[in-house]
C-alpha cells in the first residue's frame, strides 16, 4: 500500500493533454442548428432528430436546479457541444492515431485489456473511436458498442428503450443530454446469458470548454447478468467543463446488472449525471458509485423497483477536497411487494471540501413487505470541511421494514494516536483510517479500480496539513 | 533505558501528573499501581506522546536521547510501545495492514504476517482476527491479546502495558502473562495494574505506587502484596 503511494504517477493526477487534431469542430454554444448539425453528421434516423429537437426545446424551458450544489457558474454559451475526433471508427488498437494511443497508454488501457478485459469501448472526445469486442461476446449474442453504432445497427431495440426511463422532461441536464448526446455505450445481453468479465469503458475529456454528453443504454434480458464498469480521468484545464451524461438500464425478470463508476474528473468539471435503472420481477440492480474528482457532482443513481421481489442497491463513496462539492446519493422507488433496497453511502470531506448525501426512498401503496436499509456515514477531516445529510423517506405502505442509520465522524485524535503510537507516520495513519472507512464499499469494486482508488485517496491524504 | 525528570502533564487545563521522576532501567520489570484517577494512564500516554497530554514541565530521555518534544511515531520508532487500556476498534483497518505498515522498513510483509500468525497461535486467538477490522466485534480478552501480539511483533525495547489484565478471564490472563514472560528477552516492561495477580507471573523488580498524580512510594514485589491485602490507605496513612 505504501509502495503504491511512493510510486504515484503525479502526471496522471494533474492531467495531461495532447495536441488537438480534429476533423470537425463545432462552434461554441447551443442552437437548434447545432442540434440539427449533430444529427446530420451522425447520419441519424429522423425520429432521433425529432427526439433531439424536442429535448432542445425542453432544455430551453427548464431552469437550472437550485436545490443542490451551486451551478450558477455554468455558462452554456461557452461550451462546445460536439467534436468528432477522427473520420472513421477503428476496430483495432494499432489503427488508432498516435496521439490518442499515447493518451490511452497513460491511462493504461492496453495493460488493462491484456489482463482481463472482455471488450473495451474507449471514448476520446465526444465519439467512441476505439472499440473491440471479444469473439466470446459475439458468440453469446451480447451487443457491446458505442451508442451511435447501436443506433445505426439496432435501431428497433434503441427506439424501444431510449429515453423511456429518463425522458428529456426529467431535468434540465437530461434534456441537454437528449439534445446533444454523443457516444456512450450500448449494451444488450440476451436472455439467460451471463457475461463473466466486466465490460469496461474509458472516458476522457480532452478539449477546453468542451462538454461531454455521453448516453448509455443497457438492456439485460431475462435471467442474464452483466457488470459494466465506467472509469473516468480528465486533464486539468482552467475554464469550466461540463459532463452531463444519461444512463438508462433495464433489468428484466431474474436478471442482474451491476454498474460500477470510478469518477475522477479534474476539479473544473461540473459532473451532472442522471442514472436510473428499472428492475422487473426478482431482478437485481446494483450501482457502485465512486466520486473522487470534479468541481461539482450531482448524481443520484436510482432504481425503480417495478417487479415483485426486485432488489436495488447503491453503494457510494464521495471524496471532496478543496473547492469541491460532491452532492451525491441515491433514489429507491418501491412499486411492488417484497421489494428490497439498500443504500450505503460513505463520504469524506477535507481541506474545505463539501459532501452532501441526498437520498430519497419511496414506498408506494401496495408495496407490502418491502425492506429498506439506508446507511450514510460521513467523515470530516478538518474544521474547514463540511458534510450534510438530506435523507428523505416517503412511506405510503404500512407493512414495511425501514432501517436508517447515519453517522458523522471526525478523524479522531484517539485513532490517530493509536496508529502513530505503533510507529506509523501521521499522514499514513490518516490514509489508513480513510481507506478503512471506505473499505466496505471499496471492496465491491474490481481490483484494479480499488487499487487506483486507494492510490488516489493516499495522494489526497498526503497533501493534508496538520 | 527511560529517565523521567520532574514531569508535569496537563489534559486541557487540568494538571493530572505532577513532578514525576523515575529512572527505569534496562531489562527490568516495573509495576505501577494506584487507585483510579491517580495518573497511571496519563503517565503512559505522556510517555508515548499522546497529543492531548501536554507536558508542561520536565523531560523524558529514552536511551539517553531527549524525546520530550517528539511525536508519537518518532517515540515508537525510538523504542516505546504502549498496550492500550481500552484498545480502539478501527473500521476497515486490518491488524495485518497495521503491522505491515508499522514494520515496513524492518521486515517484509510476509515475514510480518508469519510472525503475527505464530504469536496469534501462542496467544490462543484465531488468525482470522488479524484479517478482520482491528478489534471489531472482538471480546475484551481478544482485544488485550491483540495488544500483546502487536507488542511482540513490533518488539520495542520499552513496553508499557496499561491494565492488560483488566477485563480478561483467568485463563486469558495466564496466557498473556506467560506470553509476556516468554518474549521478554531483555526488554523493559512497565506493567500498570490494579491487581497483584498478573505480578505472580511477571515478577516485578520494582513496584511504583501513584496517588493523586504523584509518585508516592517505590518498593519491591512485597509492596504489591501489601497493597492487595491492605489497600492504598496503608500508604496514604504513612505519609
Amino acid at each position: 500500500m505504501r509502495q503504491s503511494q511512493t510510486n504515484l504517477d503525479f502526471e496522471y493526477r494533474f492531467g495531461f493533454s495532447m495536441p488537438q487534431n480534429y476533423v470537425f469542430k463545432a462552434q461554441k454554444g447551443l442552437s437548434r442548428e447545432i442540434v440539427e448539425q449533430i444529427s446530420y453528421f451522425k447520419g441519424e434516423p429522423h425520429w432521433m432528430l425529432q427526439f433531439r429537437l424536442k429535448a432542445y426545446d425542453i432544455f430551453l424551458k427548464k431552469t437550472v436546479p437550485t436545490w443542490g450544489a451551486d451551478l450558477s457558474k455554468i455558462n452554456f454559451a461557452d461550451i462546445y457541444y460536439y467534436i468528432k475526433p477522427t473520420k472513421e471508427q477503428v476496430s483495432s488498437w494499432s489503427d488508432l492515431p498516435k496521439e490518442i494511443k499515447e493518451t490511452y497508454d497513460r491511462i493504461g488501457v492496453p495493460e488493462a485489456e491484456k489482463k482481463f478485459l472482455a471488450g473495451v469501448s474507449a471514448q476520446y472526445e465526444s465519439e467512441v473511436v476505439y472499440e473491440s469486442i471479444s469473439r466470446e461476446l459475439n458468440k453469446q449474442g451480447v451487443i457491446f458498442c458505442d451508442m451511435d453504432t447501436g443506433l445505426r445497427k439496432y435501431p428497433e431495440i434503441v427506439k424501444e428503450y431510449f429515453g423511456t426511463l429518463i425522458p428529456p422532461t426529467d431535468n434540465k441536464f437530461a434534456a441537454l443530454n437528449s439534445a446533444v448526446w454523443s457516444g456512450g455505450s450500448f449494451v444488450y445481453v440476451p436472455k439467460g446469458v451471463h457475461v463473466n468479465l466486466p465490460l469496461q469503458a474509458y472516458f476522457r475529456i480532452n478539449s477546453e470548454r468542451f462538454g461531454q454528453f455521453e448516453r448509455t443504454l443497457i438492456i439485460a434480458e431475462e435471467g442474464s447478468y452483466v457488470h459494466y464498469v465506467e472509469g473516468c480521468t480528465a486533464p486539468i484545464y482552467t475554464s469550466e467543463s461540463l459532463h452531463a451524461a444519461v444512463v438508462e438500464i433495464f433489468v428484466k425478470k431474474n436478471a442482474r446488472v451491476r454498474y460500477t463508476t470510478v469518477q475522477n474528473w479534474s476539479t473544473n468539471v461540473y459532473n451532472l449525471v442522471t442514472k436510473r435503472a428499472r428492475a422487473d420481477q426478482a431482478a437485481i440492480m446494483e450501482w457502485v458509485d465512486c466520486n473522487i474528482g470534479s468541481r461539482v457532482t450531482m448524481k443520484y443513481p436510482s432504481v425503480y423497483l417495478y417487479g415483485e421481489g426486485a432488489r436495488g442497491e447503491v453503494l457510494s463513496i464521495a471524496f471532496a477536497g478543496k473547492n469541491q462539492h460532491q452532492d451525491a446519493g441515491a433514489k429507491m422507488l418501491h412499486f411492488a411487494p417484497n421489494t428490497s433496497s439498500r443504500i450505503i453511502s460513505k463520504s469524506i470531506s477535507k481541506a474545505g471540501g463539501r459532501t452532501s448525501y441526498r437520498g430519497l426512498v419511496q414506498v408506494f401503496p401496495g408495496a407490502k413487505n418491502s425492506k429498506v436499509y439506508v446507511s450514510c456515514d460521513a467523515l470530516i477531516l478538518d474544521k474547514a470541511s463540511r458534510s450534510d445529510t438530506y435523507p428523505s423517506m416517503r412511506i405510503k405502505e404500512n407493512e414495511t421494514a425501514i432501517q436508517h442509520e447515519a453517522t458523522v465522524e471526525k478523524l479522531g485524535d484517539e485513532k490517530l494516536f493509536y496508529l502513530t503510537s505503533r510507529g506509523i507516520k501521521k499522514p499514513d495513519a490518516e490514509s489508513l483510517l480513510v481507506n478503512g472507512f471506505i473499505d466496505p464499499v471499496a471492496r465491491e469494486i474490481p481490483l484494479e479500480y480499488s487499487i487506483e482508488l486507494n492510490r488516489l485517496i493516499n495522494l489526497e491524504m498526503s497533501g493534508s496539513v496538520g | 533505558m527511560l529517565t523521567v525528570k520532574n514531569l508535569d502533564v496537563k489534559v486541557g487545563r487540568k494538571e493530572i501528573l505532577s513532578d514525576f521522576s523515575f529512572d527505569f532501567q534496562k531489562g527490568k520489570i516495573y509495576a505501577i499501581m494506584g487507585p483510579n484517577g491517580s495518573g497511571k494512564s496519563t503517565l503512559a500516554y505522556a510517555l508515548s506522546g499522546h497529543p492531548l497530554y501536554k507536558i508542561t514541565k520536565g523531560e523524558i530521555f529514552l536511551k539517553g536521547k531527549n524525546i520530550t518534544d517528539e511525536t508519537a511515531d518518532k517515540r515508537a520508532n525510538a523504542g516505546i510501545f504502549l498496550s492500550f487500556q481500552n484498545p480502539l476498534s478501527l473500521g476497515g483497518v486490518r491488524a495485518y495492514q497495521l503491522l505491515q505498515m508499522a514494520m515496513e522498513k524492518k521486515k517484509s510483509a510476509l515475514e510480518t504476517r508469519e510472525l503475527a500468525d505464530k504469536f496469534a497461535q501462542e496467544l490462543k486467538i484465531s488468525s482470522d482476527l488479524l484479517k478482520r477490522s482491528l478489534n471489531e466485534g472482538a471480546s475484551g480478552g481478544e482485544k488485550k491479546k491483540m495488544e500483546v501480539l502487536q507488542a511482540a511483533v513490533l518488539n520495542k525495547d520499552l513496553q508499557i502495558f496499561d491494565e492488560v489484565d483488566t477485563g480478561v478471564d483467568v485463563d486469558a490472563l495466564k496466557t498473556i502473562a506467560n506470553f509476556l514472560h516468554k518474549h521478554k528477552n531483555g526488554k523493559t516492561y512497565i506493567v500498570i495494574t490494579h491487581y497483584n495477580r498478573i505480578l505472580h507471573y511477571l515478577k516485578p523488580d520494582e513496584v511504583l505506587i501513584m496517588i493523586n498524580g504523584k509518585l508516592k512510594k517505590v518498593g519491591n514485589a512485597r509492596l504489591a502484596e501489601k497493597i492487595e491485602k491492605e489497600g492504598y490507605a496503608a500508604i496514604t496513612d504513612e505519609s
Side-chain angles (χ1 to χ4, degrees), chain B residues 68-84:
Chain B
T68 318
D69 299 322
E70 296 286 16
T71 53
D73 57 307
K74 290 206 174 124
R75 293 187 199 201
N77 289 319
I80 294 185
F81 179 85
L82 172 63
S83 161
F84 280 57

Side-chain angles (χ1 to χ4, degrees), chain A residues 127-426:
Chain A
E127 197 127 340
V128 173
V129 291
Y130 168 68
E131 189 173 290
S132 72
I133 301 168
S134 78
R135 283 188 209 103
E136 275 309 302
L137 287 178
N138 277 329
K139 253 190 263 168
Q140 289 181 306
V142 175
I143 302 167
F144 176 38
C145 59
D146 68 280
M147 198 59 232
D148 300 276
T149 305
L151 176 62
R152 212 157 39 240
K153 286 169 107 172
Y154 314 97
E156 297 80 19
I157 309 179
V158 172
K159 197 176 177 183
E160 188 184 341
Y161 294 95
F162 196 96
T164 57
L165 200 49
I166 304 175
T169 47
D170 194 81
N171 66 73
K172 189 172 180 75
F173 296 97
L176 177 62
N177 175 284
S178 299
V180 302
W181 72 268
S182 201
S185 295
F186 176 62
V187 178
Y188 179 86
V189 188
K191 191 174 171 179
V193 170
H194 283 232
V195 182
N196 294 321
L197 298 172
L199 301 177
Q200 315 205 12
Y202 291 79
F203 293 77
R204 194 148 188 84
I205 293 179
N206 206 22
S207 179
E208 198 167 5
R209 273 178 239 93
F210 168 59
Q212 193 154 330
F213 305 96
E214 82 263 13
R215 181 97 192 187
T216 289
L217 176 61
I218 299 174
I219 298 142
E221 292 288 1
E222 259 187 63
S224 67
Y225 169 78
V226 67
H227 182 187
Y228 182 87
V229 183
E230 161 197 52
C232 326
T233 58
I236 285 175
Y237 282 113
T238 48
S239 59
E240 326 294 48
S241 242
L242 176 62
H243 175 244
V246 167
V247 178
E248 293 173 293
I249 302 179
F250 295 83
V251 195
K252 301 289 180 68
K253 186 179 169 186
N254 292 321
R256 178 175 177 182
V257 174
R258 170 172 278 214
Y259 190 108
T260 299
T261 305
V262 178
Q263 178 270 113
N264 185 28
W265 296 121
S266 60
T267 51
N268 58 312
V269 173
Y270 284 88
N271 184 42
L272 310 166
V273 177
T274 311
K275 287 180 166 169
R276 193 168 299 160
R278 175 195 160 117
D280 291 344
Q281 194 186 329
I284 300 170
M285 176 64 212
E286 300 155 309
W287 296 102
V288 182
D289 205 53
C290 306
N291 296 296
I292 311 292
S294 82
R295 170 179 177 156
V296 166
T297 284
M298 284 176 75
K299 197 198 311 177
Y300 322 97
S302 59
V303 184
Y304 286 15
L305 301 156
Y306 272 117
E308 185 165 355
R311 203 168 94 201
E313 199 162 290
V314 175
L315 307 174
S316 69
I317 294 171
F319 187 104
K322 195 180 171 192
N323 298 326
Q324 283 184 282
H325 185 178
Q326 305 281 9
D327 194 307
K331 278 204 281 188
M332 291 290 180
L333 277 68
H334 295 251
F335 294 101
N338 301 313
T339 46
S340 59
S341 65
R342 192 164 78 120
I343 299 170
I344 297 178
S345 158
K346 298 267 182 183
S347 71
I348 301 150
S349 51
K350 175 186 162 271
R354 183 175 171 194
T355 59
S356 308
Y357 167 79
R358 201 180 295 275
L360 171 67
V361 176
Q362 242 175 314
V363 179
F364 290 88
K368 288 190 196 315
N369 299 319
S370 288
K371 289 196 194 79
V372 175
Y373 177 80
V374 180
S375 158
C376 37
D377 301 324
L379 184 64
I380 303 173
L381 298 188
D382 48 48
K383 285 188 183 123
S385 304
R386 173 175 170 185
S387 178
D388 305 280
T389 304
Y390 309 96
S392 184
M393 298 242 185
R394 293 179 208 149
I395 314 297
K396 303 284 189 220
E397 171 59 54
N398 289 331
E399 293 170 47
T400 315
I402 313 280
Q403 230 185 315
H404 180 253
E405 294 164 10
T407 67
V408 179
E409 220 185 303
K410 295 199 168 80
L411 198 62
D413 289 326
E414 294 305 320
K415 285 182 179 177
L416 279 176
F417 172 62
Y418 187 88
L419 290 171
T420 52
S421 79
R422 268 57 180 145
I424 296 167
K425 288 196 188 78
K426 199 176 169 189

Side-chain angles (χ1 to χ4, degrees), chain B residues 201-228:
Chain B
Y201 302 96
L202 290 169
K203 293 266 176 269
D205 294 291
E206 288 190 84
V207 176
L208 286 68
I209 308 295
M210 290 182 65
I211 285 164
N212 287 332
K214 285 193 161 69
L215 178 59
K216 205 76 189 176
K217 196 175 173 75
V218 180
N220 58 19
R222 273 196 299 265
L223 180 58
E225 285 164 27
K226 188 180 171 189
I227 297 282
E228 193 167 50

Side-chain angles (χ1 to χ4, degrees), chain A residues 411-452:
Chain A
L411 198 62
D413 289 326
E414 294 305 320
K415 285 182 179 177
L416 279 176
F417 172 62
Y418 187 88
L419 290 171
T420 52
S421 79
R422 268 57 180 145
I424 296 167
K425 288 196 188 78
K426 199 176 169 189
D428 294 340
E430 287 175 341
S431 294
L432 203 54
L433 289 172
V434 171
N435 277 308
F437 173 77
I438 62 168
D439 184 66
V441 176
R443 70 171 64 175
E444 299 291 334
I445 305 169
L447 187 66
E448 58 174 25
Y449 285 87
S450 63
I451 289 170
E452 187 177 335

